[in-house]
Amino acid sequence: MDYGAQSGEPTLADAPATPTFAIPANVYAQTVTEVKHYTDRLFKFRMTRPAEFRFRSGEFVMIGLPNAEKPVFRAYSIASPFWDDEIEFFSIKVPGGPLTEHLQKVKAGDTVLMRKKPTGTLVLDALVPGRRLYMLSTG
């Protein structure tokens, strides 16, 4: 172990290296700006939004973490309005889940991956005129 010349403490060169992984193509690497844990099963996080990223309220996007050579991506509904400067997501905590096991530990300053193409059909312009509107939700 390499020790500092005067302090006798190990230098930064001795710290274990954190593996870094390349950012996949067609993916934004965004910075987490806020995390709030509501319960032991629910949390939200906000992250920066690329200036060119456009979506319609009601769409979802695939998100993941840069913690593997081939990151795991899952669909997350965008909770923020289309005009917001940041993007907000809510998530449940799944013990042992391939993504949420790690996602629930993010903090401000961490990186989250987001695919560039939002999608979804639960948007206003997809509704057709009718007499009744039934809205169902799952978790």
Side-chain angles (χ1 to χ4, degrees):
M1 191 175 269
D2 179 26
Y3 289 93
Q6 295 178 337
S7 68
E9 294 293 320
T11 64
L12 289 177
D14 298 321
T18 303
T20 57
F21 298 98
I23 304 300
N26 290 324
V27 170
Y28 295 115
Q30 296 306 120
T31 304
V32 174
T33 59
E34 178 188 350
V35 178
K36 182 173 184 179
H37 294 267
Y38 293 103
T39 69
D40 61 339
R41 303 173 106 186
L42 176 69
F43 71 104
K44 80 165 184 179
F45 63 98
R46 291 178 62 84
M47 61 187 202
T48 57
R49 176 182 175 175
E52 66 276 10
F53 181 70
R54 299 286 179 261
F55 68 94
R56 298 176 297 167
S57 295
E59 289 187 314
F60 64 88
V61 69
M62 303 297 284
I63 64 170
L65 293 171
N67 60 354
E69 187 70 37
K70 201 169 183 185
V72 173
F73 283 89
R74 294 288 186 263
Y76 275 78
S77 294
I78 302 170
S80 52
F82 69 89
W83 44 261
D84 199 341
D85 291 336
E86 293 184 342
I87 305 172
E88 183 172 89
F89 299 96
F90 285 84
S91 180
I92 59 172
K93 300 174 184 179
V94 179
L99 178 60
T100 59
E101 181 71 28
H102 307 284
L103 188 62
Q104 67 183 314
K105 298 173 186 170
V106 297
K107 55 190 177 309
D110 287 351
T111 298
V112 171
L113 304 177
M114 180 177 77
R115 293 224 171 114
K116 293 184 177 184
K117 185 175 179 352
T119 191
T121 56
L122 190 59
V123 293
L124 286 177
D125 57 338
L127 293 176
V128 294
R131 294 182 59 171
R132 291 183 181 87
L133 172 64
Y134 295 97
M135 299 182 80
L136 305 173
S137 175
T138 64

